[in-house]
């Protein structure tokens, strides 16, 4: 666990999704100064409005470091996910080319890729911290049921099947999540991401009790920079797809906006449950 | 290997896809009398036109057996895939209810499900044979490259990664195929089927050299009734999705209309290659 009181300024590498917003709220609550690195074609422009930030191309590693130094950044956190970039977004500079050379052949989503990025920042004297260092351990999904609705026997079996499949996939460094209905694996995540997985499995839904969405972390996942999260959007998508609930690996998956997310699930009659894979 | 000369009449359980047509052509070539069991909502009505057949609901196991006995069927072959049925298509009769009771909780695509179905037919005195008993061993994909185009070094790496992921998935009794591009797993098959997997990964395509489609059999697959196939349609979809080629597990995956399929791949500049998973 990082010592937050020693942070002079936190550099936030902001990708897609709800996590960057939660990180900023956590900084504000804890009076941690922050500066946002926004990436062209990735970070939502609306999100950074009114906040201290600069825009760079994904390949501009030298420019990124320069901005961090100008803003007295000493710690950084990587928040949100990045879509695989088009070449036009990369705009590599000198350090960017050197970094890219180390990343060649490493697929996006590969743990090796994230390790190389962490090593790069650390070699520049920056300390890479994990989102839950800021959000606190309360941000993680707890073991047990979190909502009024609970999984029934069929849902529990679907969760068990989902955990086995997701862990087998994770061991191959593919996805982190699956949708299972009545023992049937409706879909498996690869690079399309969890939201898109849920969306596309809506059309594969079978008659009878709805399915469950199961999310885990990969074995050996570099959790500082590649964090499994669920949040309000997961609940929205799951409800739209007719799923009955969400199971997430306890003590590993981040639950964004915990109270809001649980209230939303309750209002839609979905369960959220923290589970273990044995 | 079944003794084809002892067949009085072959009952063909006809699902979707190109396999039923190939089976009938094989029967015609070898002068094997045949009778088609067509399933409502599954078998293509155009396909059975002018051929000896009857229509039943998927749950009408008793009616199916009665039709087979009326037509002096003594051997059967299951050809093509079945979509998970709507309840309205099942129309279970007395034997259908008994069979369904044994299938409850077994997901479609589960090897256990196919074993129960084989056991049912065998308990009725029918001999279940495998598609390649009729098509001959030449119908299987051979080891090595079959087309003018060949996989380059990147494609070979993608194939290797695809084999590892597909086998890990198969061990969980999920899908049989994956699409990999430059080390990145674009998509993984669950119940949507190979064609739909290729179709949807078209939109996930990355810049640079195109991906490969990799198809294997599951460990412990009941190959008599759940056969992995590739054919002209696989080539068409792969070409449309900008893939560079198809790799299939040698001596296990059926290659439909071998000459036609290879000629089609050659005309589109795609490779088809038979590979082993070690």
């Amino acid at each position: 666990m990082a010592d937050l009181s020693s942070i002079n300024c936190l550099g936030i590498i902001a990708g897609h999704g709800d996590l960057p917003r939660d990180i900023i709220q956590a900084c504000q609550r804890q009076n941690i100064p922050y500066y946002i690195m926004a990436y062209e074609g990735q970070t939502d422009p609306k999100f950074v409005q009114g906040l201290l930030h600069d825009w760079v191309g994904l390949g501009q590693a030298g420019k990124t470091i320069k901005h961090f130094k100008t803003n007295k950044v000493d710690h950084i956190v990587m928040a949100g996910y990045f879509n695989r970039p088009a070449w036009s977004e990369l705009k590599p500079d000198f350090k960017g080319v050197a970094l890219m050379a180390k990343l060649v052949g490493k697929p996006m989503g590969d743990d090796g890729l994230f390790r190389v990025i962490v090593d790069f920042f650390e070699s520049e004297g920056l300390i890479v911290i994990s989102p839950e260092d800021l959000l606190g351990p309360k941000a993680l999904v707890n073991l047990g049921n979190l909502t009024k609705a609970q999984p029934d026997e069929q849902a529990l079996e679907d969760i068990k099947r989902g955990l086995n499949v997701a862990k087998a996939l994770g061991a191959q460094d593919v996805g982190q999540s699956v949708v299972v209905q009545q023992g049937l694996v409706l879909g498996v995540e690869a690079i399309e991401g969890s939201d898109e997985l849920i969306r596309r499995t809506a059309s594969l839904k079978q008659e009878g009790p709805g399915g469950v969405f199961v999310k885990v972390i990969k074995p050996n996942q570099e959790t500082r920079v590649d964090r499994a999260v669920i949040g309000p959007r997961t609940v929205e998508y799951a409800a739209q797809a007719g799923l009955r609930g969400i199971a997430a690996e306890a003590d590993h998956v981040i639950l964004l906006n915990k109270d809001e997310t649980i209230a939303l699930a309750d209002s839609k009659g979905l369960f959220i449950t923290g589970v273990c894979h044995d």
Side-chain angles (χ1 to χ4, degrees), chain A:
Chain A
M1 205 72 175
D3 176 11
L4 300 183
S5 66
S6 72
I7 298 178
N8 182 62
C9 179
L10 179 70
I12 301 173
I13 306 230
H16 293 270
D18 294 323
L19 190 53
R21 193 188 52 166
D22 281 45
I23 293 283
I24 285 174
Q25 288 169 351
C27 287
Q28 291 168 341
R29 271 198 310 272
Q30 297 167 88
N31 292 314
I32 299 169
Y34 60 91
Y35 161 82
I36 301 167
M37 199 77 266
Y39 289 88
E40 290 163 20
Q42 304 280 348
T43 313
D44 181 1
K46 272 187 244 147
F47 166 71
V48 293
Q49 265 171 24
L51 302 173
L52 183 63
H53 72 279
D54 283 294
W55 288 93
V56 293
L58 265 183
Q60 296 182 302
K63 201 168 168 188
T64 298
I65 295 294
K66 210 175 139 208
H67 278 307
F68 282 156
K69 294 195 171 162
T70 306
N71 288 278
K72 311 261 187 274
V73 166
D74 55 350
H75 289 67
I76 60 168
V77 64
M78 298 176 72
Y81 61 92
F82 289 82
N83 294 329
R84 206 173 165 87
W87 294 113
S88 59
E89 289 172 60
L90 287 174
K91 300 182 182 172
D93 56 22
F94 186 75
K95 283 198 182 177
V97 169
L99 182 56
M100 279 163 65
K102 291 187 189 159
L103 297 176
V104 163
K106 295 201 185 286
M108 202 81 172
D110 176 14
D111 290 324
L113 175 138
F114 294 111
R115 294 234 168 72
V116 171
I117 292 172
V118 168
D119 287 349
F120 166 73
F121 284 121
E122 291 187 338
S123 73
E124 295 286 343
L126 295 159
I127 298 165
V128 181
I129 66 172
S130 144
E132 78 253 32
D133 287 341
L134 290 154
L135 302 174
K138 279 202 300 191
L140 298 174
V141 172
N142 296 327
L143 188 63
N145 204 61
L146 305 175
T147 47
K148 289 175 193 156
Q150 296 189 14
D152 61 13
E153 206 174 317
Q154 174 69 63
L156 288 173
E157 273 180 37
D158 287 347
I159 290 167
K160 196 173 162 196
R161 174 127 168 80
L163 283 172
N164 288 335
V165 173
K167 281 290 178 183
L169 263 186
Q172 296 290 330
D173 198 10
V174 183
Q176 301 171 317
S177 59
V178 299
V179 174
V180 184
Q181 184 188 12
Q182 298 160 43
L184 188 69
V185 179
L186 296 187
V188 162
E189 181 193 1
I191 63 160
E192 74 274 32
S194 297
D195 293 347
E196 180 55 26
L197 167 69
I198 300 175
R199 208 191 56 72
R200 76 178 165 82
T201 51
S203 65
L204 300 167
K205 195 183 161 218
Q206 310 297 315
E207 292 174 277
V212 297
F213 170 74
V214 181
K215 185 152 200 170
V216 302
I217 62 159
K218 299 174 198 168
N220 310 316
Q221 188 155 341
E222 170 48 272
T223 52
R224 275 182 299 176
V225 292
D226 185 22
R227 230 348 171 177
V229 296
I230 58 171
R233 219 174 38 195
T234 321
V235 174
E236 284 289 358
Y237 276 82
Q240 281 166 26
L243 301 186
R244 294 196 290 163
I246 295 165
E249 195 171 6
D251 302 325
H252 290 292
V253 174
I254 291 178
L255 177 53
L256 295 174
N257 306 316
K258 200 166 215 167
D259 296 342
E260 181 198 333
T261 305
I262 292 172
L264 184 65
D266 281 339
S267 78
K268 303 208 176 262
L270 265 68
F271 65 77
I272 301 176
T273 193
V275 292
C276 279
H277 182 251
D278 43 31

